Amino acid sequence: MARLTAGITTSHVPAIGAAIDLGKTQEPYWKPLFDGYEFSKKWMTENMPDVVFLVYNDHASAFDLSNIPTFAIGCGESYESTDEGWGPRPIPTVKGAPELAWHIRQSVIQDDFDLTTVSEMTVDHGFTVPLSLLFGQPAEWPCLVIPFAVNVIVYPPPSGRRCYELGKSIRAAIESFDADLNVQIWGTGGMSHQLQGPRAGLINTDFDMKYFDDLINNPDKLADMPHIDYQREAGSEGIELVMWLIMRGAMDEKVREIHRHYHVPASSTAVGHLILENG
Ligand code: DHB
Ligand code: FE
């Protein structure tokens, strides 16, 4: 059977992708951010999964007001980088895992979570920046990836509770897939940031530190935090953090923290990153 071996969180910011693509990671502004991923890139090579189940949000790239799925699972063969205004990122084609994705889709829908099934889409910085942070700049991505898009752009996003319970359903789906596969789940986006309005630039490190700790030790309680608290405390785009609860729901009740990194700011965002193992 397939095994869920680790849960990873990381923020995304388009400028991080640009810093990597333009060779700026060692510049003084960027170095402290990227230094925190050096451990992670090495850890990934030593704990390479066959498949990453990558929970992320699209930013009106593949989905816009013409089509807003709350949850969309990528069941396609491959995915290319979206053009977000500066051309598609110069990264390898992402290879999907259609057989496992279709299995998870069937299992999770039968568990009463409505998923949109997507065979063809492009992927934006929400998806590609986490891959670049954890894998660097390989000629080919070292594993298969299942994209799982969550609407956090158009109100209302799914509740933290729904995300947490969905994670449990995804775990059961992965572990009922009859193949010897090592699968990781990544929850991306966050941490505190606000890109719009009078509070643009808001960052709340106290909130972010507590979020790290509650995610690890108190996830069931954290799952009940209402949207308005994310909005007030973590800024309008801080709501991306609900996606971390999908990852957390898929992990054991008790997890071990393998690595933590926090860096403020990267562009307008508080960047947070965790590697968790079960047990
Ligand atoms: C930034 C952060 C985001 O989450 C995003 O989607 C776009 C931009 C930023 O900090 O610049
Ligand atoms: Fe974002």
Side-chain angles (χ1 to χ4, degrees), residues 12-14 57-59 124-126 152-153 189-190 193 195 237 240 243 269:
H12 65 237
V13 175
N57 72 292
D58 179 85
H59 303 73
D124 73 11
H125 68 274
V152 293
I153 298 289
H193 63 305
L195 303 177
E237 278 63 49
E240 289 176 349
M243 296 184 288
T269 299

Side-chain angles (χ1 to χ4, degrees), residues 99-119:
E99 242 192 282
L100 176 57
W102 274 92
H103 169 83
I104 294 172
R105 172 195 169 278
Q106 176 170 327
S107 177
V108 168
I109 292 173
Q110 286 178 332
D111 233 357
D112 294 340
F113 290 95
D114 301 322
L115 306 185
T116 298
T117 307
V118 181
S119 301

Side-chain angles (χ1 to χ4, degrees), residues 68-92:
I68 309 166
T70 296
F71 299 119
I73 185 164
C75 293
E77 295 281 349
S78 64
Y79 308 92
E80 302 289 347
S81 169
T82 296
D83 182 349
E84 295 186 73
W86 293 271
R89 289 191 59 212
I91 54 171

Side-chain angles (χ1 to χ4, degrees), residues 189-212:
M191 295 185 93
S192 58
H193 63 305
Q194 171 143 346
L195 303 177
Q196 54 192 313
R199 296 200 310 162
L202 176 145
I203 279 176
N204 184 345
T205 296
D206 290 344
F207 173 91
D208 292 338
M209 290 303 133
K210 188 156 178 355
Y211 202 89
F212 271 140

Side-chain angles (χ1 to χ4, degrees), residues 32-47:
L33 168 79
F34 288 105
D35 280 354
Y37 287 86
E38 283 306 311
F39 171 91
S40 315
K41 284 194 284 186
K42 184 160 176 293
W43 185 90
M44 286 302 300
T45 63
E46 290 158 4
N47 296 273

